[in-house]
Amino acid sequence: MTENPTGPRRPAVLTRAKTLPAWSLLAAGAVAGGLLGGVYGLAKTPAYTATSYVIAVPTEKSDSASALGFAQAYGRVATQLAVLGDAQVWAGVPVKTLKSSVQTATSPDAPMVAITATSARPDLAADMANAVARALTRHADNTESATNVELQQFARATKPTEPSSASPALTGLVGASAGGLLGGLVLLVRPRRTTEEPGRPASVPGPAVAADAHGQL
């Protein structure tokens, strides 16, 4: 009597996972990423941003080109210790907080310096931006006789009414996009599903009785 050995059986879970449609992995990644992004947006403390503007004005002994050049220089000086040390008095926060919360920006076409402060409190964001702008104009006044450029307050920072940080809806959308992308990458690198199941090895038939009898004759 012959034996008919069978090949190794695949686990039921693995078989079912390979039979799932491809879009299910993308959907699962997008849903998981969206949930994580939304939770992050809800848990993160909102940030508020306020901006104060100062402008460099040339005196009678100078010109607009000089004012533009000094505006670029004042933009770099605004976040230095000499200016922030005076600004901390009016802002009511230490220099370390101003150093990490205040940024400046200048334009190559206009002699203007934008001083932006970010804080979890909208009123503090405006106070820090205005304090740095005030301290910067004070330092510029002390050197006006040498630079022939006057730094004036162009626009004071106002208390922001809405946070500048991303909303939970936006972080959820970003998370869903990242999760879908990750699911697509996993889908590309996973093993391909074979279309044919491995067949069972053919059984070897036993010798025919009639052929044995014929051979004995």
Side-chain angles (χ1 to χ4, degrees):
M1 184 176 181
T2 59
E3 295 182 356
N4 294 330
T6 58
R9 296 183 179 180
R10 296 184 178 180
V13 177
L14 181 60
T15 302
R16 292 178 181 177
K18 288 189 175 183
T19 57
L20 291 176
W23 59 265
S24 62
L25 188 59
L26 297 176
V31 171
L35 290 176
L36 292 176
V39 171
Y40 172 78
L42 291 173
K44 184 180 179 182
T45 303
Y48 295 86
T49 300
T51 303
S52 179
Y53 297 92
V54 295
I55 186 171
V57 180
T59 62
E60 295 179 355
K61 298 180 181 181
S62 183
D63 53 21
S64 57
S66 298
L68 181 60
F70 277 105
Q72 303 288 333
Y74 286 137
R76 292 188 292 269
V77 173
T79 54
Q80 300 301 314
L81 183 60
V83 177
L84 298 182
D86 293 341
Q88 67 175 342
V89 178
W90 299 304
V93 296
V95 174
K96 183 179 180 180
T97 302
L98 291 173
K99 189 70 174 178
S100 61
S101 304
V102 176
Q103 296 180 346
T104 61
T106 57
S107 171
D109 302 321
M112 186 175 294
V113 181
I115 303 171
T116 302
T118 304
S119 174
R121 291 170 42 192
D123 57 335
L124 183 57
D127 290 342
M128 288 191 297
N130 290 326
V132 175
R134 180 179 178 182
L136 184 61
T137 54
R138 289 286 185 90
H139 279 266
D141 290 342
N142 295 333
T143 58
E144 181 181 348
S145 58
T147 61
N148 295 319
V149 172
E150 181 183 3
L151 200 62
Q152 298 179 356
Q153 181 91 41
F154 182 78
R156 288 179 56 84
T158 58
K159 179 180 176 180
T161 58
E162 296 181 356
S164 57
S165 55
S167 63
L170 181 58
T171 56
L173 181 60
V174 174
S177 301
L181 178 61
L182 182 61
L185 293 176
V186 173
L187 186 62
L188 291 175
V189 300
R190 74 171 184 174
R192 297 293 182 179
R193 184 177 59 185
T194 56
T195 56
E196 296 181 358
E197 294 293 333
R200 297 181 178 180
S203 60
V204 180
V209 179
D212 293 344
H214 180 74
Q216 293 176 358
L217 296 177

